[in-house]
């Protein structure tokens, strides 16, 4: 197959504004392929996840050239596929609770009648080679699959081994429940954020994606220069996540919060309008979301001495019933941005919904 040329995507210049940056730990994974190397990182990863819930990963094994190639393809998936062809590959988000395929702009309601300006193409790691893709992307499917496999085996698996050790578990404890042996909604996301109109910015208070936690176990976000991601700190303040060249920003999702009995808590984050010197630029992203197998029950791993000490009555399970991953992710994906959440008590900035028997909060 002839591989066509892919235009180079030119990111916006890094902001020069002095923003209130989050103080996130940087994990050097140069030696994470060895047991001794992983063991040396246990305390650092543990402290980062307990204190901030976000961390940077560097020297992870994927080169700058590999990641830039994927950023180019991320933009290509949006700009070089016709609207007619995209319409044949639209994700069945509302119907089936799956992201596989295109998510069109304006699907999610943000606030005050404002909808998102985010377009995505999502590819499941288990069936990317057997699934049909839009014609312009077909020559690159094997390359994308190889990138996902390397991100999963070298970065995700090693991080999960380190997390397992930090909990006093065998380092392979979480590996099998996230592999290719059963269906999971694990996927690579090509995404492009488009600027909002001034009117919509005012109505949504400059929010592009409301504060939320991810449903999955770990999220691997490949750092890019447009500053828009913010993390909520433990004291309830929003802080900006700074761009670090060829770094991966990692955060804990709901699944790991459930598995650890809230010892590690899912990280609240949002996307908002970039600073003044980056406004008007689009924001191309590359994100790898890893979920447990659909068949997994989301019960706490009480084999861990740390999890055993947690007060499991504080879990977000409604009525104490532990849902399966499939039930939770289908309900949450289908319902996100589609309903009018209720306020959480007296707090005007927090809304609550029941997704698959789990209380999920949104933060404005």
């Amino acid at each position: 197959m002839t591989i066509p040329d892919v235009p180079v995507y030119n990111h916006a210049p890094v902001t020069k504004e002095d923003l209130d940056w989050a103080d996130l730990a940087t994990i050097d994974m140069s030696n994470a392929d060895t047991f001794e190397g992983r063991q040396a990182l246990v305390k650092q990863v543990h402290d980062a996840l307990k204190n901030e819930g976000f961390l940077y990963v560097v020297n992870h094994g994927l080169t700058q050239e590999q990641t830039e190639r994927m950023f180019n393809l991320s933009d290509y998936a949006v700009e070089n596929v016709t609207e007619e062809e995209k319409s044949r590959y639209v994700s069945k988000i509302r119907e089936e609770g799956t992201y596989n395929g295109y998510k069109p702009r304006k699907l999610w309601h943000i606030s005050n009648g404002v909808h998102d300006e985010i377009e995505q193409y999502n590819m499941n790691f288990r069936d990317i080679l057997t699934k049909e893709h839009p014609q312009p992307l077909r020559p690159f499917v094997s390359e994308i699959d190889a990138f996902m496999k390397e991100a999963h085996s070298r970065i995700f698996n090693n991080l999960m081994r380190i997390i397992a050790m930090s909990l006093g578990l065998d380092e392979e404890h979480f590996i099998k429940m996230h592999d290719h042996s059963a269906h999971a909604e694990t996927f690579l996301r090509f995404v492009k954020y488009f600027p909002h109109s001034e009117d919509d910015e005012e109505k949504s208070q400059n929010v592009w994606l409301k504060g939320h936690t991810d449903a999955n176990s770990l999220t691997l976000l490949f750092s890019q220069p447009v500053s828009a991601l913010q993390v909520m700190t433990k004291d309830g303040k929003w802080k900006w996540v700074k761009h670090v060249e060829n770094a991966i920003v990692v955060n804990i999702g709901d699944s790991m919060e459930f598995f650890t009995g809230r010892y590690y808590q899912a990280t609240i984050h949002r996307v908002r309008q970039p600073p003044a010197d980056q406004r008007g630029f689009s924001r191309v992203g590359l994100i790898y979301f890893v979920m447990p197998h659909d068949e997994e029950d989301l019960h706490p791993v009480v084999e861990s001495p740390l999890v055993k000490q947690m007060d499991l009555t504080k879990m977000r399970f409604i009525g104490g019933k532990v849902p399966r991953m499939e039930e939770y992710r289908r309900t949450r994906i289908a319902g996100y941005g589609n309903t009018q959440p209720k306020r959480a008590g007296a707090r005007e900035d927090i809304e609550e919904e029941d997704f698959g028997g789990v209380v999920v909060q949104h933060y404005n």
Side-chain angles (χ1 to χ4, degrees):
M1 183 182 293
T2 302
I3 307 295
D5 291 333
V6 176
V8 172
Y9 178 75
N10 294 310
H11 296 277
V14 175
T15 182
K16 293 183 171 62
E17 292 198 23
D18 184 21
L19 302 177
D20 190 7
W21 300 109
D23 183 19
L24 304 182
T26 299
I27 308 299
D28 187 333
M29 294 190 71
S30 301
N31 299 314
D33 285 335
T34 68
F35 174 78
E36 292 75 19
R38 293 190 291 274
Q39 199 169 41
L41 294 173
V42 169
K43 185 180 187 308
Q44 193 179 3
V45 170
H46 169 275
D47 292 351
L49 294 180
K50 284 292 286 181
N51 297 332
E52 289 90 27
F54 263 67
L55 54 85
Y56 294 108
V57 166
V58 297
N59 297 323
H60 41 68
L62 291 168
T63 66
Q64 180 73 30
E65 292 72 24
Q66 285 176 292
T67 56
E68 284 302 326
R69 171 69 168 175
M70 289 299 125
F71 277 116
N72 294 342
L73 285 171
S74 183
D75 185 61
Y76 189 84
V78 174
E79 300 295 343
N80 287 71
V81 180
T82 66
E83 294 303 315
E84 181 185 355
E85 186 153 19
K86 286 176 187 176
S87 69
R88 296 198 292 269
Y89 296 92
V90 172
S91 308
K92 295 184 178 179
I93 292 175
R94 300 291 186 231
E95 304 91 333
E96 299 180 8
T98 177
Y99 283 125
N100 221 344
Y102 277 101
K103 186 211 79 72
R105 292 159 72 171
K106 299 187 181 298
L107 180 70
W108 296 327
H109 178 252
I110 301 171
S111 62
N112 297 319
V114 177
H115 287 74
D116 75 276
E117 295 292 348
I118 306 166
E119 188 169 331
Q120 308 167 352
Y121 187 64
N122 302 287
M123 296 153 285
N124 191 287
F125 83 141
R126 193 162 184 259
D127 62 10
I128 182 173
L129 295 178
T130 56
K131 199 90 172 177
E132 187 176 290
H133 302 274
Q135 183 68 42
L137 294 178
R138 290 174 194 171
F140 310 104
V141 170
S142 294
E143 183 181 352
I144 297 167
D145 176 64
F147 182 87
M148 276 200 282
K149 282 186 168 67
E150 190 164 1
H152 195 98
S153 62
R154 295 198 64 184
I155 305 168
F156 172 77
N157 280 353
N158 281 335
L159 282 170
M160 292 302 278
R161 290 180 177 114
I162 293 167
I163 291 171
M165 286 193 282
S166 76
L167 295 167
L169 298 167
D170 179 86
E171 67 168 350
E172 299 298 311
H173 186 92
F174 295 113
I175 301 299
K176 288 184 180 178
M177 63 176 69
H178 294 89
D179 65 14
H180 287 70
S181 64
H183 186 270
E185 187 77 1
T186 290
F187 57 92
L188 184 70
R189 171 173 291 171
F190 290 161
V191 57
K192 191 166 186 176
Y193 293 76
F194 293 88
H196 289 220
S197 68
E198 288 186 19
D199 186 48
D200 279 358
E201 290 287 8
E202 184 177 351
K203 288 179 181 176
S204 65
Q205 299 180 25
N206 307 114
V207 173
W208 286 10
L209 198 61
K210 285 193 290 191
H212 63 284
T213 58
D214 294 336
N216 49 296
S217 295
L218 285 188
T219 300
L220 278 59
L221 182 147
F222 292 80
S223 187
Q224 52 75 51
V226 178
S227 296
L229 177 64
Q230 292 184 321
V231 58
M232 183 182 280
T233 60
K234 298 297 184 185
D235 57 359
K237 295 179 181 177
W238 290 110
K239 295 206 172 186
W240 297 81
V241 176
K242 196 170 189 176
H243 171 56
V244 175
E245 198 74 10
N246 202 37
I248 299 174
V249 183
V250 178
N251 68 273
I252 285 280
D254 288 347
S255 303
M256 283 307 296
E257 176 178 312
F258 302 151
F259 289 143
T260 65
R262 300 185 78 248
Y263 184 80
Y264 291 132
Q265 294 183 32
T267 319
I268 303 160
H269 55 287
R270 71 178 182 183
V271 180
R272 58 151 292 153
Q273 183 186 39
D277 60 354
Q278 292 184 324
R279 285 173 199 168
F281 288 96
S282 56
R283 178 177 182 258
V284 168
L286 177 68
I287 316 173
Y288 188 54
F289 295 92
V290 188
M291 292 200 191
H293 298 156
D294 277 350
E295 65 194 24
E296 292 292 336
D297 291 325
L298 297 173
H299 57 75
V301 183
V302 292
E303 299 94 320
S304 162
L306 295 178
V307 174
K308 194 177 293 185
Q309 294 172 14
M310 300 300 295
D311 181 359
L312 301 182
T313 63
K314 293 183 178 180
M315 300 289 287
R316 292 188 277 139
F317 302 142
I318 295 171
K321 180 182 179 293
V322 178
R324 289 173 68 238
M325 187 65 216
E326 181 177 16
E327 175 190 5
Y328 178 52
R329 65 96 175 163
R330 282 189 187 277
T331 310
R332 180 158 180 192
I333 291 172
Y336 181 78
N338 190 38
T339 56
Q340 293 296 327
K342 298 177 181 178
R343 284 183 182 174
R347 291 285 300 268
E348 293 189 2
D349 59 332
I350 301 179
E351 301 163 331
E352 286 186 346
E353 291 184 89
D354 170 4
F355 283 132
V358 177
V359 175
V360 174
Q361 295 184 326
H362 310 281
Y363 300 77
N364 267 338

